[in-house]
Amino acid sequence: MAQAYLTETGSDGQGPERRGSRLRRLLDGWRGDRGIWRRGLILGALAVILALVMLLHAQIPNTIGNLGSLTETFLPWLGLIIPVLLILAFVRKSATALIAVLLPAIVWLNLFGGLLTDKTAGGGDLTVATHNVNADNPDPSGTARDVAASGADVLALEELTATAVPVYEKALASTYKYHSVQGTVGLWSKYPLTGSQPVDIKLGWTRAMRATVTTPNGQVAFFVAHLPSVRVKLEAGFTARQRDKSADALGEAIADESIKQVVLLGDLNGTMNDRALNAVTAQMRSTQGAAGSGFGFSWPASFPMARIDQIMVKGIEPVTSWTLPETGSDHLPIAARVKVDATAS
């Protein structure tokens, strides 16, 4: 009996030993391979170049096809190259490439690692939302009901058409007592809305507005904006000159705002990393970056790759930020909850 017991126990112990021996053989093979430092030099060089692109993205010039802004728009996605390089380094059995891959991994985590953590919290006293509803939306009434169901106290809509505005007004009337539409953008509020006026963003027609919302904790200035679209063309690169010009004008309007607490809602056709939006982003905080979980990509709705729809605040504390479910638009709606400071009004 004792002999049988020992034999069975020894048999069970061979599994881990065999796995351990395979790992040891792999490591021994690497240690005995004199070429591990000479192989994979090209992979190592690619890893270093990738790290430099991410680290020095602000230095990539915009003079040719706005290449810098294009890179910054999709900057987080460069991280997908890192595991590919890592796998290739293992396949090539290259210690040089493995060490080099650490460089872009460290840079990417330094840039975006904070977005991977959940920074959402409870509390707050004002919920805001924004949605580019798409001029060709086949179900504006359903879209209005969907975004109203988010519980937003203040809601901004962009890309409104003259024929769709009455539909949105009717669908939102029972939830929002106050609203104002200026050109192709609009603001709906459960609280009194005053001082509504268009904001000139140098387009020749109205795609931005400003209004004051009197919340239970004081006045907040709201800006709604839909900056011009950008295009990626083979012959011209990332064409965004009009968008950049409008961003500068919007930044000036926000800087001139007399009310201390400001919220910007809208489709800016650019990410927080895009230097072209510096006139706006330099003076405001992204609710997603400060109080969200993940990247909060909003476009395109079918497979979100970039957060070009934004909720930004100035003089207000973000509490939580999230993306809402898909509607009939090609953008996802986004929402945030913030805390209004009653002493700042």
Side-chain angles (χ1 to χ4, degrees):
M1 291 294 291
Q3 183 179 3
Y5 174 79
L6 290 173
T7 301
E8 185 178 349
T9 304
S11 176
D12 285 342
Q14 288 176 4
E17 184 178 348
R18 284 198 299 269
R19 288 193 294 271
S21 64
R22 284 198 296 268
L23 179 59
R24 283 196 299 271
R25 284 198 300 270
L26 177 62
L27 294 177
D28 289 342
W30 279 58
R31 282 196 292 264
D33 186 352
R34 296 181 180 179
I36 61 174
W37 297 105
R38 293 193 299 269
R39 285 193 300 269
L41 295 181
I42 294 177
L43 284 175
L46 291 175
V48 172
I49 292 172
L50 177 62
L52 291 174
V53 168
M54 291 191 292
L55 184 64
L56 303 176
H57 64 87
Q59 307 306 317
I60 299 175
N62 260 342
T63 51
I64 302 176
N66 279 298
L67 183 60
S69 287
L70 177 60
T71 302
E72 289 165 338
T73 297
F74 299 103
L75 195 60
W77 291 95
L78 293 182
L80 293 179
I81 303 175
I82 297 172
V84 175
L85 293 176
L86 183 63
I87 293 171
L88 291 175
F90 269 109
V91 171
R92 288 286 292 152
K93 293 184 179 180
S94 170
T96 300
L98 282 174
I99 293 174
V101 170
L102 290 176
L103 295 176
I106 292 171
V107 173
W108 191 93
L109 287 173
N110 181 62
L111 289 173
F112 304 111
L115 293 174
L116 301 180
T117 60
D118 187 352
K119 298 178 290 297
T120 60
D125 46 42
L126 186 69
T127 301
V128 300
T130 182
H131 190 25
N132 178 327
V133 295
N134 188 359
D136 298 321
N137 193 317
D139 184 19
S141 182
T143 294
R145 289 192 299 270
D146 288 343
V147 291
S150 68
D153 300 305
V154 182
L155 169 66
L157 300 180
E158 303 87 47
E159 210 164 294
L160 297 170
T161 63
T163 55
V165 166
V167 179
Y168 287 108
E169 289 176 329
K170 181 179 179 180
L172 296 171
S174 61
T175 305
Y176 300 98
K177 185 177 180 180
Y178 309 93
H179 84 279
S180 174
V181 175
Q182 305 286 335
T184 62
V185 298
L187 191 66
W188 278 258
S189 173
K190 295 179 181 179
Y191 305 122
L193 193 68
T194 58
S196 298
Q197 60 187 39
V199 173
D200 183 11
I201 55 173
K202 312 302 180 184
L203 282 176
W205 70 96
T206 301
R207 283 178 45 152
M209 64 171 289
R210 177 251 179 242
T212 300
V213 175
T214 303
T215 76
N217 286 332
Q219 290 188 331
V220 178
F222 274 82
F223 285 81
V224 182
H226 182 194
L227 297 187
S229 299
V230 297
R231 297 288 185 269
V232 180
K233 300 179 181 178
L234 291 177
E235 72 278 8
F238 194 62
T239 57
R241 184 175 300 175
Q242 185 58 65
R243 189 277 312 266
D244 300 349
K245 182 180 178 182
S246 293
D248 290 342
L250 178 62
E252 291 178 10
I254 294 172
D256 291 340
E257 176 57 51
S258 58
I259 294 178
K260 295 180 179 179
Q261 300 187 95
V262 182
V263 175
L264 169 62
L265 305 169
D267 173 8
L268 303 191
N269 272 305
T271 68
M272 291 296 294
N273 296 312
D274 191 339
R275 77 194 69 173
L277 301 184
N278 278 351
V280 176
T281 58
Q283 58 179 317
M284 307 194 81
R285 299 172 68 193
S286 163
T287 58
Q288 186 67 23
S293 176
F295 291 94
F297 294 147
S298 63
W299 178 88
S302 56
F303 187 80
M305 296 185 64
R307 185 179 176 87
I308 62 174
D309 301 275
Q310 305 290 348
I311 299 176
M312 298 186 202
V313 294
K314 179 179 180 181
I316 287 181
E317 188 64 28
V319 174
T320 186
S321 184
W322 67 98
T323 302
L324 296 169
E326 187 175 357
T327 69
S329 172
D330 57 339
H331 291 244
L332 293 178
I334 59 175
R337 189 156 178 82
V338 300
K339 184 174 180 57
V340 179
D341 185 356
T343 65
S345 299

